[in-house]
Amino acid sequence: MFFICKIRLLGVFLSTMFLLFLPLSVHAAIDYSLNDLGGGRYEYLYTVSNDNYDFDIEEFSIFFDFESYENLEITSTPSSWDPILIQPDVDLEEDGMFDALALGMPLVLGEVVSGFGVSFDWIGSGIPGTQAYEFIDPDSFMVLDDGSTTLTAVPLPAGIYFMISGLMTIAGLGRSCRNRLKD
């Protein structure tokens, strides 16, 4: 019985440590955070990363579903990027789009740029989530890659609470094992 309790305790400990150091989200090329501005208005803040592409990122587009978004507005853009915004159109059933073009140097392998912001009225159900994006060659207009935005990883305080929860579970299992051994 003592051996089984030790194995269980070790398994929970190792699982907790593995999950603690495991990235909590798959890193996409475009991450976002979401700010609730109140009254059904939200803001996306985007970070674009070139961490695994064999091309430089010179232009990208992020799409806003015509059934879920209205009244798009650019709130911020890095000075080295030129943005354009196209509103979603329900009558034409066309999605809206935020597009940004590098004015100088493109985003090369290993670089990250943040500071892209778009506010909007949310008319969809639930809360706003991931969006489709495309990386575009600005000379040929060919799509080089596409994907979905990913919510920015859990901030450090949430990670700390997760670790404390795991340690409390380990402590509880240890106490449970001791009580079983006494019986």
Side-chain angles (χ1 to χ4, degrees):
M1 184 66 140
F2 177 74
F3 181 71
I4 292 172
C5 282
K6 288 285 188 185
I7 293 294
R8 284 184 183 162
L9 197 57
L10 179 62
V12 170
F13 175 76
L14 292 176
S15 297
T16 301
M17 292 299 109
F18 174 75
L19 290 174
L20 181 63
F21 294 106
L22 183 70
L24 295 177
S25 70
V26 176
H27 182 71
I30 301 180
D31 291 329
Y32 72 91
S33 61
L34 181 66
N35 295 325
D36 185 346
L37 303 176
R41 187 126 182 107
Y42 291 85
E43 178 187 38
Y44 280 125
L45 296 174
Y46 300 104
T47 299
V48 181
S49 305
N50 188 351
D51 55 3
N52 60 356
Y53 291 107
D54 59 355
F55 57 85
D56 296 340
I57 298 173
E58 296 182 73
E59 183 178 2
F60 66 90
S61 296
I62 301 172
F63 300 96
F64 292 80
D65 184 349
F66 70 90
E67 294 179 318
S68 300
Y69 298 90
E70 288 182 333
N71 303 317
L72 306 179
E73 183 179 323
I74 297 172
T75 57
S76 61
T77 304
S79 61
S80 59
W81 290 78
D82 185 26
I84 188 169
L85 191 64
I86 298 172
Q87 296 293 327
D89 191 326
V90 176
D91 295 332
L92 296 176
E93 297 184 355
E94 290 291 329
D95 293 339
M97 179 179 67
F98 170 77
D99 185 271
L101 174 69
L103 294 174
M105 297 298 296
L107 197 62
V108 299
L109 187 62
E111 289 186 337
V112 175
V113 64
S114 59
F116 301 97
V118 177
S119 65
F120 54 91
D121 291 335
W122 176 247
I123 58 173
S125 60
I127 61 170
T130 63
Q131 301 167 272
Y133 69 79
E134 294 177 343
F135 291 123
I136 302 159
D137 179 330
D139 296 322
S140 67
F141 301 106
M142 290 184 56
V143 174
L144 302 173
D145 194 29
D146 59 11
S148 294
T149 60
T150 301
L151 183 62
T152 303
V154 175
L156 182 60
I160 290 171
Y161 294 128
F162 178 71
M163 181 181 76
I164 290 169
S165 172
L167 292 174
M168 289 173 55
T169 301
I170 291 170
L173 281 175
R175 186 175 302 127
S176 174
C177 284
R178 281 194 304 277
N179 290 342
R180 285 185 186 171
L181 290 175
K182 287 180 183 178
D183 293 338

